[in-house]
Amino acid sequence: MDPILMSMEDAETITSSPVIGRYLGVAVGVPVAAVELGDHDGAEIARRLSRLPLVTVGVGSSADHAWDIRCEDPQPIFEGVLANPIAAVTAAQVLRGAEHRSVHDALLVESLAYATLQSGPEFAAWLETQGRRVRDNDDPRIQVHEHAERVDVILDRPRLFNLVDAQMRDELIDVFRVLAERPDLAIGLSGAGPSFCAGGDPAEFGTVADPATAHTIRSTANLGAYIHRVAERVTARVHGLCIGAGVEMMAFCNRVQAHPETWFRLPEILMGLLPGVGGTVSIPARIGRHRTLEWLLQDTMVDSDMALEWGLVDSIGEFETDPAEV
């Protein structure tokens, strides 16, 4: 796999070809194409390239919104794409159209793409590097405390940094389904122990029989969809590690308060996947699709200050992380 960096003149020639797919695209070994724009915005070239399965990069401050990535230095993007090109290109394609879809339709597309990648070679290669952990016990995964005008929902697997497994997902869906019928209640979402949520539980990755079944489960029990239904009433308070599914969940919420010592990360591309708990919808709604893809490709650890600057969180402040004090 090789990236390609083109001048405007070369890009005009190549993208005007009726057989452009023979030269560009992940299927022919070119998963990312960047164009040095100069004073141009490259809008038409970006639109032509967006019909192909590749990540498009507009190099220069004038780059049009149609590019997947807009930056001054494409090299970090090249490295991120080449780490897992199929996942990178699929993420770009899903994010490219998400802003024009309803939340329901966008979540459906995300689920289909996620299931496809689960059957791919990049996810299989990542899975081979993972150790095997015995599935945790069946203790309740969340706490729910109702007060006069508020319900606090607390992720409660502190020993495992509140990793989301199927049981936690189902318990959260049950609670949010009920809360959708209680419009009088404000909702708090937080995590017990040292972290809000360190992502999906690796012990369950690759355990569903086949990708088609995984999609039918996800499209029936999509946690992001249930949080979205009550999102305007939810305030998330995050601390410690907020990774993958943790970021996806909190981004749906109307308000997000971050403890000063919070770290955010999206590692899905390095796993050969893309966000699968609604993150291709919730995260771009807060920080835009370009920054979302750039973050996914570079797998950067983001601190609270940067998250606030981006708009990923709404405020930074100290708060109790002990559920007994919530």
Side-chain angles (χ1 to χ4, degrees):
M1 294 285 180
D2 293 300
I4 185 170
L5 177 62
M6 298 178 280
S7 66
M8 273 290 295
E9 292 74 20
D10 288 344
E12 281 283 4
T13 301
I14 292 174
T15 60
S16 297
S17 169
V19 291
I20 184 176
R22 295 181 184 177
Y23 309 108
L24 300 177
V26 67
V28 294
V30 184
V32 54
V35 178
E36 295 177 320
L37 298 173
D39 296 329
H40 304 279
D41 64 11
E44 181 56 33
I45 290 174
R47 281 190 283 272
R48 295 173 194 166
L49 291 173
S50 69
R51 301 176 189 133
L52 301 172
L54 82 169
V55 177
T56 69
V57 183
V59 180
S61 58
S62 61
D64 186 78
H65 182 82
W67 295 95
D68 293 325
I69 298 285
R70 300 177 291 183
C71 65
E72 297 293 339
D73 178 11
Q75 192 57 43
I77 304 304
F78 290 167
E79 293 171 4
V81 173
L82 294 180
N84 273 320
I86 297 174
V89 169
T90 304
Q93 290 175 312
V94 170
L95 287 167
R96 209 175 277 160
E99 59 196 311
H100 304 299
R101 304 183 188 112
S102 68
V103 170
H104 175 271
D105 289 345
L107 291 175
L108 184 64
V109 170
E110 176 187 280
S111 178
L112 288 165
Y114 190 94
T116 300
L117 291 174
Q118 281 182 302
S119 64
E122 295 170 353
F123 176 63
W126 175 82
L127 204 57
E128 282 296 315
T129 68
Q130 302 304 297
R132 294 291 181 262
R133 178 170 60 78
V134 176
R135 189 180 182 278
D136 203 20
N137 58 47
D138 294 324
D139 291 345
R141 301 296 199 250
I142 65 173
Q143 298 181 40
V144 181
H145 302 294
E146 183 169 345
H147 309 280
E149 298 179 345
R150 186 182 86 249
V151 169
D152 290 315
V153 180
I154 305 162
L155 311 184
D156 194 24
R157 297 181 82 193
R159 184 177 66 84
L160 295 176
F161 302 95
N162 297 319
L163 293 173
V164 180
D165 62 359
Q167 182 180 335
M168 179 184 282
R169 176 201 67 203
D170 291 343
E171 289 180 16
L172 285 169
I173 286 173
D174 287 343
V175 169
F176 285 118
R177 182 186 288 116
V178 171
L179 291 174
E181 305 302 319
R182 299 285 305 278
D184 56 309
L185 293 173
I187 304 166
L189 179 63
S190 59
S195 292
F196 171 67
C197 176
D201 191 341
E204 292 192 342
F205 279 75
T207 58
V208 178
D210 60 85
T213 299
H215 166 63
T216 60
I217 292 172
R218 191 177 299 105
S219 57
T220 303
N222 192 311
L223 178 55
Y226 285 91
I227 298 176
H228 173 70
R229 292 180 188 180
V230 297
E232 64 182 13
R233 294 186 280 129
V234 184
T235 297
R237 294 193 293 181
V238 301
H239 69 287
L241 296 176
C242 190
I243 297 174
V247 180
E248 298 177 66
M249 285 192 291
M250 66 142 219
F252 274 110
C253 301
N254 181 53
R255 294 284 302 173
V256 179
Q257 180 183 4
H259 189 278
E261 299 299 323
T262 310
W263 291 91
F264 305 86
R265 183 185 170 209
L266 291 180
E268 285 86 348
I269 296 293
L270 284 184
M271 299 162 64
L273 297 171
L274 49 65
V277 190
T280 62
V281 179
S282 63
I283 300 170
R286 281 187 163 268
I287 67 174
R289 72 175 179 93
H290 301 91
R291 179 164 281 158
T292 299
L293 182 59
E294 188 170 0
W295 188 14
L296 279 165
L297 292 175
Q298 298 189 68
D299 186 31
T300 308
M301 287 289 280
V302 174
D303 63 17
S304 295
D305 290 333
M306 182 62 71
L308 181 63
E309 182 179 327
W310 283 1
L312 185 65
V313 305
D314 300 297
S315 63
I316 299 173
E318 300 277 353
F319 53 82
E320 290 290 345
T321 58
D322 184 344
E325 302 297 330
V326 173

